[in-house]
mmCIF file of all heavy atoms in Angstrom:
data_model
loop_
_atom_site.group_PDB
_atom_site.id
_atom_site.type_symbol
_atom_site.label_atom_id
_atom_site.label_comp_id
_atom_site.label_asym_id
_atom_site.label_seq_id
_atom_site.Cartn_x
_atom_site.Cartn_y
_atom_site.Cartn_z
ATOM 1 N N SER A 884 -6.049 0.176 -7.726
ATOM 2 C CA SER A 884 -5.517 1.109 -6.727
ATOM 3 C C SER A 884 -5.732 0.592 -5.315
ATOM 4 O O SER A 884 -5.185 1.133 -4.363
ATOM 5 C CB SER A 884 -6.197 2.470 -6.859
ATOM 6 O OG SER A 884 -7.553 2.344 -6.484
ATOM 7 N N GLY A 885 -6.556 -0.431 -5.170
ATOM 8 C CA GLY A 885 -6.849 -0.939 -3.835
ATOM 9 C C GLY A 885 -7.965 -0.151 -3.163
ATOM 10 O O GLY A 885 -8.279 -0.390 -2.005
ATOM 11 N N VAL A 886 -8.535 0.786 -3.894
ATOM 12 C CA VAL A 886 -9.639 1.571 -3.328
ATOM 13 C C VAL A 886 -10.915 1.227 -4.085
ATOM 14 O O VAL A 886 -10.958 1.260 -5.308
ATOM 15 C CB VAL A 886 -9.343 3.083 -3.406
ATOM 16 C CG1 VAL A 886 -10.592 3.902 -3.118
ATOM 17 C CG2 VAL A 886 -8.249 3.444 -2.420
ATOM 18 N N GLU A 887 -11.943 0.874 -3.339
ATOM 19 C CA GLU A 887 -13.215 0.485 -3.920
ATOM 20 C C GLU A 887 -14.065 1.754 -4.097
ATOM 21 O O GLU A 887 -14.419 2.399 -3.112
ATOM 22 C CB GLU A 887 -13.879 -0.517 -2.971
ATOM 23 C CG GLU A 887 -15.220 -1.033 -3.404
ATOM 24 C CD GLU A 887 -15.192 -1.667 -4.779
ATOM 25 O OE1 GLU A 887 -14.234 -2.391 -5.082
ATOM 26 O OE2 GLU A 887 -16.135 -1.404 -5.539
ATOM 27 N N PRO A 888 -14.385 2.118 -5.361
ATOM 28 C CA PRO A 888 -15.084 3.391 -5.595
ATOM 29 C C PRO A 888 -16.355 3.564 -4.764
ATOM 30 O O PRO A 888 -16.598 4.641 -4.226
ATOM 31 C CB PRO A 888 -15.404 3.351 -7.090
ATOM 32 C CG PRO A 888 -14.361 2.463 -7.680
ATOM 33 C CD PRO A 888 -14.044 1.441 -6.625
ATOM 34 N N GLU A 889 -17.142 2.501 -4.631
ATOM 35 C CA GLU A 889 -18.406 2.649 -3.889
ATOM 36 C C GLU A 889 -18.164 2.901 -2.406
ATOM 37 O O GLU A 889 -18.917 3.622 -1.750
ATOM 38 C CB GLU A 889 -19.309 1.430 -4.110
ATOM 39 C CG GLU A 889 -20.043 1.478 -5.447
ATOM 40 C CD GLU A 889 -20.569 2.883 -5.801
ATOM 41 O OE1 GLU A 889 -21.367 3.426 -5.014
ATOM 42 O OE2 GLU A 889 -20.173 3.440 -6.844
ATOM 43 N N LEU A 890 -17.105 2.291 -1.869
ATOM 44 C CA LEU A 890 -16.789 2.530 -0.452
ATOM 45 C C LEU A 890 -16.239 3.940 -0.262
ATOM 46 O O LEU A 890 -16.483 4.578 0.761
ATOM 47 C CB LEU A 890 -15.777 1.494 0.049
ATOM 48 C CG LEU A 890 -16.306 0.062 0.164
ATOM 49 C CD1 LEU A 890 -15.199 -0.880 0.626
ATOM 50 C CD2 LEU A 890 -17.485 -0.005 1.126
ATOM 51 N N LEU A 891 -15.508 4.426 -1.271
ATOM 52 C CA LEU A 891 -15.001 5.796 -1.198
ATOM 53 C C LEU A 891 -16.178 6.776 -1.204
ATOM 54 O O LEU A 891 -16.221 7.732 -0.432
ATOM 55 C CB LEU A 891 -14.058 6.076 -2.376
ATOM 56 C CG LEU A 891 -13.444 7.467 -2.407
ATOM 57 C CD1 LEU A 891 -12.576 7.708 -1.172
ATOM 58 C CD2 LEU A 891 -12.598 7.658 -3.672
ATOM 59 N N ARG A 892 -17.165 6.475 -2.039
ATOM 60 C CA ARG A 892 -18.349 7.345 -2.109
ATOM 61 C C ARG A 892 -19.114 7.327 -0.785
ATOM 62 O O ARG A 892 -19.541 8.356 -0.281
ATOM 63 C CB ARG A 892 -19.248 6.878 -3.265
ATOM 64 C CG ARG A 892 -20.482 7.744 -3.468
ATOM 65 C CD ARG A 892 -21.290 7.323 -4.676
ATOM 66 N NE ARG A 892 -20.526 7.432 -5.920
ATOM 67 C CZ ARG A 892 -20.211 8.572 -6.504
ATOM 68 N NH1 ARG A 892 -20.592 9.721 -5.975
ATOM 69 N NH2 ARG A 892 -19.537 8.591 -7.622
ATOM 70 N N PHE A 893 -19.238 6.148 -0.233
ATOM 71 C CA PHE A 893 -19.913 5.960 1.047
ATOM 72 C C PHE A 893 -19.220 6.802 2.131
ATOM 73 O O PHE A 893 -19.878 7.523 2.895
ATOM 74 C CB PHE A 893 -19.867 4.465 1.390
ATOM 75 C CG PHE A 893 -20.532 4.099 2.684
ATOM 76 C CD1 PHE A 893 -21.925 4.122 2.799
ATOM 77 C CD2 PHE A 893 -19.770 3.701 3.773
ATOM 78 C CE1 PHE A 893 -22.523 3.766 3.992
ATOM 79 C CE2 PHE A 893 -20.378 3.347 4.973
ATOM 80 C CZ PHE A 893 -21.754 3.379 5.077
ATOM 81 N N ALA A 894 -17.893 6.721 2.156
ATOM 82 C CA ALA A 894 -17.125 7.492 3.146
ATOM 83 C C ALA A 894 -17.301 8.987 2.900
ATOM 84 O O ALA A 894 -17.476 9.775 3.829
ATOM 85 C CB ALA A 894 -15.645 7.112 3.072
ATOM 86 N N TYR A 895 -17.297 9.363 1.609
ATOM 87 C CA TYR A 895 -17.413 10.777 1.250
ATOM 88 C C TYR A 895 -18.764 11.355 1.698
ATOM 89 O O TYR A 895 -18.844 12.474 2.199
ATOM 90 C CB TYR A 895 -17.232 10.930 -0.265
ATOM 91 C CG TYR A 895 -17.299 12.356 -0.734
ATOM 92 C CD1 TYR A 895 -16.155 13.148 -0.744
ATOM 93 C CD2 TYR A 895 -18.503 12.912 -1.154
ATOM 94 C CE1 TYR A 895 -16.216 14.473 -1.157
ATOM 95 C CE2 TYR A 895 -18.573 14.226 -1.572
ATOM 96 C CZ TYR A 895 -17.434 15.005 -1.568
ATOM 97 O OH TYR A 895 -17.489 16.310 -1.970
ATOM 98 N N GLU A 896 -19.811 10.548 1.518
ATOM 99 C CA GLU A 896 -21.143 11.039 1.899
ATOM 100 C C GLU A 896 -21.251 11.253 3.406
ATOM 101 O O GLU A 896 -22.016 12.096 3.878
ATOM 102 C CB GLU A 896 -22.224 10.082 1.381
ATOM 103 C CG GLU A 896 -22.476 10.346 -0.102
ATOM 104 C CD GLU A 896 -23.211 9.231 -0.824
ATOM 105 O OE1 GLU A 896 -23.708 8.307 -0.142
ATOM 106 O OE2 GLU A 896 -23.275 9.288 -2.066
ATOM 107 N N ALA A 897 -20.471 10.485 4.163
ATOM 108 C CA ALA A 897 -20.476 10.660 5.618
ATOM 109 C C ALA A 897 -19.547 11.794 6.050
ATOM 110 O O ALA A 897 -19.882 12.582 6.931
ATOM 111 C CB ALA A 897 -20.040 9.354 6.285
ATOM 112 N N LEU A 898 -18.380 11.886 5.438
ATOM 113 C CA LEU A 898 -17.346 12.807 5.921
ATOM 114 C C LEU A 898 -17.391 14.184 5.257
ATOM 115 O O LEU A 898 -17.046 15.187 5.884
ATOM 116 C CB LEU A 898 -15.954 12.193 5.708
ATOM 117 C CG LEU A 898 -15.712 10.858 6.439
ATOM 118 C CD1 LEU A 898 -14.409 10.208 5.962
ATOM 119 C CD2 LEU A 898 -15.677 11.090 7.945
ATOM 120 N N GLY A 899 -17.804 14.239 3.989
ATOM 121 C CA GLY A 899 -17.834 15.508 3.255
ATOM 122 C C GLY A 899 -18.655 16.587 3.960
ATOM 123 O O GLY A 899 -18.165 17.686 4.219
ATOM 124 N N PRO A 900 -19.908 16.261 4.333
ATOM 125 C CA PRO A 900 -20.779 17.287 4.934
ATOM 126 C C PRO A 900 -20.265 17.820 6.269
ATOM 127 O O PRO A 900 -20.752 18.844 6.753
ATOM 128 C CB PRO A 900 -22.109 16.545 5.135
ATOM 129 C CG PRO A 900 -22.073 15.428 4.155
ATOM 130 C CD PRO A 900 -20.638 15.015 4.066
ATOM 131 N N GLU A 901 -19.309 17.131 6.881
ATOM 132 C CA GLU A 901 -18.754 17.630 8.151
ATOM 133 C C GLU A 901 -17.881 18.855 7.945
ATOM 134 O O GLU A 901 -17.503 19.533 8.897
ATOM 135 C CB GLU A 901 -17.916 16.536 8.825
ATOM 136 C CG GLU A 901 -18.770 15.425 9.398
ATOM 137 C CD GLU A 901 -17.946 14.387 10.134
ATOM 138 O OE1 GLU A 901 -16.703 14.555 10.205
ATOM 139 O OE2 GLU A 901 -18.544 13.409 10.606
ATOM 140 N N ARG A 902 -17.498 19.100 6.681
ATOM 141 C CA ARG A 902 -16.618 20.240 6.421
ATOM 142 C C ARG A 902 -17.414 21.338 5.725
ATOM 143 O O ARG A 902 -18.008 21.101 4.668
ATOM 144 C CB ARG A 902 -15.459 19.808 5.517
ATOM 145 C CG ARG A 902 -14.719 18.631 6.117
ATOM 146 C CD ARG A 902 -13.355 18.545 5.533
ATOM 147 N NE ARG A 902 -12.705 17.337 6.017
ATOM 148 C CZ ARG A 902 -11.386 17.195 6.063
ATOM 149 N NH1 ARG A 902 -10.607 18.165 5.620
ATOM 150 N NH2 ARG A 902 -10.849 16.088 6.510
ATOM 151 N N PRO A 903 -17.400 22.538 6.310
ATOM 152 C CA PRO A 903 -18.238 23.627 5.786
ATOM 153 C C PRO A 903 -18.068 23.846 4.276
ATOM 154 O O PRO A 903 -19.065 23.998 3.559
ATOM 155 C CB PRO A 903 -17.738 24.845 6.568
ATOM 156 C CG PRO A 903 -17.133 24.295 7.817
ATOM 157 C CD PRO A 903 -16.628 22.927 7.501
ATOM 158 N N LEU A 904 -16.848 23.807 3.778
ATOM 159 C CA LEU A 904 -16.619 24.066 2.347
ATOM 160 C C LEU A 904 -17.288 23.025 1.451
ATOM 161 O O LEU A 904 -17.591 23.266 0.302
ATOM 162 C CB LEU A 904 -15.118 24.019 2.057
ATOM 163 C CG LEU A 904 -14.303 25.296 1.974
ATOM 164 C CD1 LEU A 904 -12.907 24.960 1.480
ATOM 165 C CD2 LEU A 904 -14.938 26.345 1.068
ATOM 166 N N PHE A 905 -17.473 21.825 2.000
ATOM 167 C CA PHE A 905 -17.921 20.690 1.187
ATOM 168 C C PHE A 905 -19.360 20.277 1.474
ATOM 169 O O PHE A 905 -19.783 19.210 1.059
ATOM 170 C CB PHE A 905 -16.988 19.490 1.414
ATOM 171 C CG PHE A 905 -15.601 19.724 0.913
ATOM 172 C CD1 PHE A 905 -14.662 20.393 1.695
ATOM 173 C CD2 PHE A 905 -15.224 19.315 -0.363
ATOM 174 C CE1 PHE A 905 -13.376 20.630 1.228
ATOM 175 C CE2 PHE A 905 -13.942 19.548 -0.839
ATOM 176 C CZ PHE A 905 -13.012 20.208 -0.047
ATOM 177 N N LYS A 906 -20.099 21.127 2.195
ATOM 178 C CA LYS A 906 -21.463 20.802 2.612
ATOM 179 C C LYS A 906 -22.301 20.203 1.484
ATOM 180 O O LYS A 906 -22.973 19.211 1.670
ATOM 181 C CB LYS A 906 -22.177 22.060 3.144
ATOM 182 C CG LYS A 906 -21.922 22.320 4.621
ATOM 183 C CD LYS A 906 -23.104 21.850 5.445
ATOM 184 C CE LYS A 906 -22.936 22.012 6.936
ATOM 185 N NZ LYS A 906 -21.764 21.405 7.516
ATOM 186 N N ARG A 907 -22.226 20.835 0.310
ATOM 187 C CA ARG A 907 -23.061 20.356 -0.789
ATOM 188 C C ARG A 907 -22.242 19.931 -1.998
ATOM 189 O O ARG A 907 -22.747 19.919 -3.116
ATOM 190 C CB ARG A 907 -24.081 21.437 -1.178
ATOM 191 C CG ARG A 907 -25.331 21.433 -0.300
ATOM 192 C CD ARG A 907 -26.303 22.519 -0.692
ATOM 193 N NE ARG A 907 -25.765 23.849 -0.402
ATOM 194 C CZ ARG A 907 -25.851 24.439 0.799
ATOM 195 N NH1 ARG A 907 -26.455 23.837 1.781
ATOM 196 N NH2 ARG A 907 -25.324 25.638 0.995
ATOM 197 N N ALA A 908 -20.993 19.583 -1.778
ATOM 198 C CA ALA A 908 -20.135 19.229 -2.911
ATOM 199 C C ALA A 908 -20.327 17.764 -3.294
ATOM 200 O O ALA A 908 -20.324 16.892 -2.438
ATOM 201 C CB ALA A 908 -18.676 19.481 -2.535
ATOM 202 N N SER A 909 -20.500 17.516 -4.587
ATOM 203 C CA SER A 909 -20.655 16.128 -5.026
ATOM 204 C C SER A 909 -19.293 15.541 -5.395
ATOM 205 O O SER A 909 -18.317 16.271 -5.577
ATOM 206 C CB SER A 909 -21.613 16.059 -6.221
ATOM 207 O OG SER A 909 -21.070 16.788 -7.297
ATOM 208 N N LEU A 910 -19.258 14.236 -5.470
ATOM 209 C CA LEU A 910 -18.015 13.535 -5.798
ATOM 210 C C LEU A 910 -18.195 12.818 -7.126
ATOM 211 O O LEU A 910 -19.158 12.071 -7.321
ATOM 212 C CB LEU A 910 -17.697 12.508 -4.699
ATOM 213 C CG LEU A 910 -16.465 11.629 -4.928
ATOM 214 C CD1 LEU A 910 -15.188 12.457 -4.883
ATOM 215 C CD2 LEU A 910 -16.408 10.505 -3.889
ATOM 216 N N GLU A 911 -17.269 13.057 -8.055
ATOM 217 C CA GLU A 911 -17.311 12.361 -9.342
ATOM 218 C C GLU A 911 -16.098 11.453 -9.432
ATOM 219 O O GLU A 911 -14.967 11.914 -9.280
ATOM 220 C CB GLU A 911 -17.300 13.402 -10.474
ATOM 221 C CG GLU A 911 -17.509 12.792 -11.841
ATOM 222 C CD GLU A 911 -17.500 13.874 -12.935
ATOM 223 O OE1 GLU A 911 -18.234 14.876 -12.817
ATOM 224 O OE2 GLU A 911 -16.724 13.700 -13.896
ATOM 225 N N ILE A 912 -16.351 10.165 -9.629
ATOM 226 C CA ILE A 912 -15.246 9.195 -9.650
ATOM 227 C C ILE A 912 -15.080 8.646 -11.066
ATOM 228 O O ILE A 912 -16.008 8.079 -11.639
ATOM 229 C CB ILE A 912 -15.517 8.020 -8.683
ATOM 230 C CG1 ILE A 912 -15.795 8.539 -7.267
ATOM 231 C CG2 ILE A 912 -14.328 7.051 -8.678
ATOM 232 C CD1 ILE A 912 -16.131 7.450 -6.258
ATOM 233 N N ASP A 913 -13.902 8.838 -11.614
ATOM 234 C CA ASP A 913 -13.574 8.279 -12.926
ATOM 235 C C ASP A 913 -12.778 7.001 -12.669
ATOM 236 O O ASP A 913 -11.652 7.048 -12.174
ATOM 237 C CB ASP A 913 -12.748 9.326 -13.697
ATOM 238 C CG ASP A 913 -12.296 8.808 -15.046
ATOM 239 O OD1 ASP A 913 -12.905 7.847 -15.553
ATOM 240 O OD2 ASP A 913 -11.324 9.376 -15.592
ATOM 241 N N VAL A 914 -13.383 5.853 -12.959
ATOM 242 C CA VAL A 914 -12.721 4.568 -12.692
ATOM 243 C C VAL A 914 -11.890 4.174 -13.915
ATOM 244 O O VAL A 914 -12.381 4.175 -15.039
ATOM 245 C CB VAL A 914 -13.766 3.475 -12.361
ATOM 246 C CG1 VAL A 914 -13.083 2.132 -12.130
ATOM 247 C CG2 VAL A 914 -14.570 3.876 -11.122
ATOM 248 N N VAL A 915 -10.612 3.884 -13.677
ATOM 249 C CA VAL A 915 -9.695 3.604 -14.789
ATOM 250 C C VAL A 915 -9.325 2.122 -14.816
ATOM 251 O O VAL A 915 -8.897 1.554 -13.805
ATOM 252 C CB VAL A 915 -8.407 4.448 -14.647
ATOM 253 C CG1 VAL A 915 -7.532 4.285 -15.877
ATOM 254 C CG2 VAL A 915 -8.743 5.923 -14.424
ATOM 255 N N ASP A 916 -9.486 1.506 -15.978
ATOM 256 C CA ASP A 916 -9.139 0.092 -16.162
ATOM 257 C C ASP A 916 -7.633 -0.093 -16.293
ATOM 258 O O ASP A 916 -6.955 0.767 -16.852
ATOM 259 C CB ASP A 916 -9.754 -0.417 -17.482
ATOM 260 C CG ASP A 916 -11.231 -0.717 -17.319
ATOM 261 O OD1 ASP A 916 -11.570 -1.453 -16.373
ATOM 262 O OD2 ASP A 916 -12.025 -0.233 -18.144
ATOM 263 N N PRO A 917 -7.123 -1.240 -15.859
ATOM 264 C CA PRO A 917 -5.741 -1.575 -16.209
ATOM 265 C C PRO A 917 -5.715 -2.134 -17.635
ATOM 266 O O PRO A 917 -6.769 -2.355 -18.237
ATOM 267 C CB PRO A 917 -5.389 -2.665 -15.205
ATOM 268 C CG PRO A 917 -6.684 -3.342 -14.908
ATOM 269 C CD PRO A 917 -7.765 -2.292 -15.062
#
Side-chain angles (χ1 to χ4, degrees):
Chain A
S884 68
V886 167
E887 180 56 41
E889 281 319 301
L890 291 178
L891 181 62
R892 182 176 299 287
F893 180 72
Y895 181 87
E896 280 163 10
L898 300 170
E901 288 183 1
R902 305 201 186 204
L904 262 188
F905 294 84
K906 274 259 178 305
R907 277 179 292 276
S909 62
L910 177 67
E911 187 180 309
I912 305 178
D913 177 20
V914 178
V915 187
D916 281 308

